Amino acid sequence: MQFSAAQIAPLISGKIEGDSSVLVSNFGKIESAKAGDLAFLANPKYEAYAYTTEASILLVADDFAPKQPISSTLIRVADPYAALAQLMQLVEQQTAPALRGISSDARCAEGVELGEDLYIGAFAVVEEGAKIGRGCKIYPFAYIGRGVTLGEGTTVHPHTTLYHGVQVGARCIIHAGAVIGADGFGFAPEADGYHKIPQLGSVLIEDDVEIGANTCIDRAVMDNTVIRRGVKLDNLVQIAHNVEIGDHTAIAAQSGIAGSTKVGKKCVFGGQVGITGHISIADGTILGAKTGVSGNIKEPNKVWIGAPAMPLNTFRRSSVIIRQLPELIQRLYDTERKLNEIKGGK
């Protein structure tokens, strides 16, 4: 499928500079795009490629001021990255296969409530008491446990496991291998070893949540582990029992949050972040990669990094000192030697 700049610009509220009839049929990275590709410039460090790219169309910000001639047709938008995402979503909607119906190799228990226009693939299992909303897609080998609820338009990819009683909202995406509702890590130490504490709660996932491949969200001891509206979890994220994650928080891969911690709204966590249990993280908190948090973060909209976590400016100053440590230690040794020489001379 080919689209002209004139067709694309209205879809993203863009303004065209250049040939409005130029056609594109693919997306490309600005540094390697070819004729017929649409690329974008969102990060200033890639600006140099804007003057060498072969892309036919280049999405740029409204305030972008070129320093050299650009051969591509420009479409100016408020946010190039968001505009690109919007276009890619439109393409996905047009090209995605229209999956409908229940495979003869799927197993649905008696009494399961099935909405219209859904898809259940081969060897998927839906247990008794489950409620599957309109337009849901359950891919092959997925397991939907007893009493699970899936809201309208939710997609469950292959080899995903949803334990009994898990509630998932509308338009969620759960990627392959995710495990939702397994027992939390609860054990009582006794003289003869550890005694398991039954995990009698469940997991509540609200609307528009995306959960990455092989991510695990444990069920609560009581009540629910809660993932609020719009949360985005990357691959290999661990969410322990009774954790609550606020609206529109994004957490990158290999991060782990221990039990009963409450994460605020619109937080952003880099990869391999570790957070201890029974603490609170304020709204808008940004944690850099590998940050270790062992206490409450009370002030909202602050950036933290390091292990233990510290404010960004403190971390930067500390990093400077750490790099200077070998020289400082040598200076200390030299000073001690000189003092000893002076004492010896006296």
Side-chain angles (χ1 to χ4, degrees), residues 261-281:
T261 283
K262 296 187 183 301
V263 176
K265 302 176 182 177
K266 297 183 178 179
C267 296
V268 177
F269 298 170
Q272 296 188 335
V273 163
I275 301 177
T276 192
H278 302 275
I279 65 171
S280 296
I281 308 295

Side-chain angles (χ1 to χ4, degrees), residues 66-100:
K67 299 179 180 66
Q68 302 175 35
I70 296 178
S71 61
S72 306
T73 292
L74 302 184
I75 299 181
R76 292 185 177 274
V77 293
D79 183 338
Y81 195 56
L84 178 75
Q86 185 178 349
L87 289 175
M88 296 182 85
Q89 288 167 5
L90 291 172
V91 170
E92 183 182 46
Q93 291 169 7
Q94 294 295 322
T95 58
L99 298 173
R100 292 290 185 274

Side-chain angles (χ1 to χ4, degrees), residues 188-219:
E190 300 287 348
D192 60 344
Y194 288 96
H195 290 197
K196 183 176 179 62
I197 299 172
Q199 308 290 288
L200 302 180
S202 191
V203 177
L204 171 62
I205 298 171
E206 294 187 345
D207 298 343
D208 301 304
V209 170
E210 184 157 352
I211 297 169
N214 293 327
T215 282
C216 296
I217 304 174
D218 292 343
R219 71 190 313 107

